[in-house]
Each structure stands twice: as structure tokens, then as C-alpha cells.
Amino acid sequence: VVEAARSLSLLPSLCAPIVDIMHPPLDRPHPDCQEQIEKLQECHNNRSALRFWACNEIKFALDKCFQEEKARFLKEMNKDMEAKRKREDEAWADAAGHGLTFEDYLKQDKEYQDDIKKVATMKKGSYQEKSTF
């Protein structure tokens, strides 16, 4: 019985590293999610490692907050993506010595346009006509 008690007393120290890696690193600031971070850290500090599921609801709320934060960051980063893409296309055309962007070149390429029309008129799943590209 004494040996069993000693082995059980080691469980929290053995399980602690597992609990610590169950969420993303919190070392960078997350102003939108600071409240959930503090609740999760408090839960980890106050709960037994044997009850590793005890903080799941707080963890789920933190994960949702991180998803919302990421969506907001991506929306902010990509707000002027069309203008940026246009500038990149123009810079590529200028650097390559072309006056046209790749999309404009394809619009003027008669063979490409004929192939597009041919594909559009083909029946789905039809093997009667072989593609040339």
C-alpha cells in the first residue's frame, strides 16, 4: 500500500508536462483573449493533474477566442489584397519586359480561348472528343 501511495504521489509531477502542452504557447500578448488565458492558467494551477479534463471548457473558450483573433488579423492583413496583387502583376510585367499581365496575355491568346470554348461545350464525362492540351 505504501508503494502504491508513493507511485500515486509522483503522478502529478509526471502529468504536469502533458497538461502544459495542451494549449498553444501563451508567451506573446493576446489582448482579446487575456481573460481566458488568465482563467486557464488559474485552472491549471488549482486543479489536480489527475483531473486533466477539468479545464476543458475554459480551454474551448480560449480556442474560440484565438480563432476569432486570427480571423480578425487575416481580415486586416488581406484588406487591400486586390490592389497589392495588381501592383505585383504590374511589377512582374515591367521586370519581364512585357506590357501585359499574364491574365491579359491569356485573354488575347486565340488558341487558349478556342480551347476554353471547346472545353465549355464538351459534355461532362464524354470521351468522344480528345483534348489537345
Side-chain angles (χ1 to χ4, degrees):
V1 176
V2 173
E3 288 299 318
R6 284 186 188 146
S7 64
L8 286 177
S9 68
L10 293 175
L11 276 178
S13 63
L14 294 174
C15 294
I18 295 170
V19 173
D20 288 342
I21 61 171
M22 293 179 71
H23 55 77
L26 306 175
D27 57 347
R28 70 176 181 88
H30 297 276
D32 298 345
C33 306
Q34 195 58 41
E35 182 180 338
Q36 288 88 351
I37 291 171
E38 290 170 1
K39 285 181 182 178
L40 184 65
Q41 289 173 338
E42 180 181 329
C43 182
H44 283 179
N45 292 335
N46 295 333
R47 302 282 189 215
S48 167
L50 295 175
R51 293 187 58 206
F52 59 89
W53 63 86
C55 303
N56 280 355
E57 289 192 22
I58 299 169
K59 169 75 167 66
F60 297 148
L62 181 62
D63 288 343
K64 184 178 179 186
C65 185
F66 283 155
Q67 289 173 352
E68 291 169 358
E69 179 184 60
K70 183 177 181 179
R72 184 177 56 82
F73 283 146
L74 287 175
K75 185 177 180 181
E76 186 177 318
M77 285 179 6
N78 294 329
K79 66 183 174 188
D80 60 346
M81 187 56 68
E82 289 296 321
K84 183 178 179 183
R85 174 66 190 262
K86 186 176 179 181
R87 286 192 309 269
E88 288 174 352
D89 283 346
E90 290 170 356
W92 177 84
D94 189 38
H98 302 288
L100 298 174
T101 64
F102 184 68
E103 288 82 10
D104 291 337
Y105 174 78
L106 289 178
K107 288 177 187 175
Q108 293 182 357
D109 185 7
K110 183 161 177 48
E111 184 179 338
Y112 175 78
Q113 292 300 322
D114 291 343
D115 287 341
I116 293 294
K117 288 177 186 175
K118 184 190 265 186
V119 169
T121 58
M122 289 175 58
K123 292 182 181 176
K124 187 175 183 179
S126 172
Y127 295 103
Q128 295 173 353
E129 188 172 299
K130 295 192 180 207
S131 176
T132 59
F133 51 88

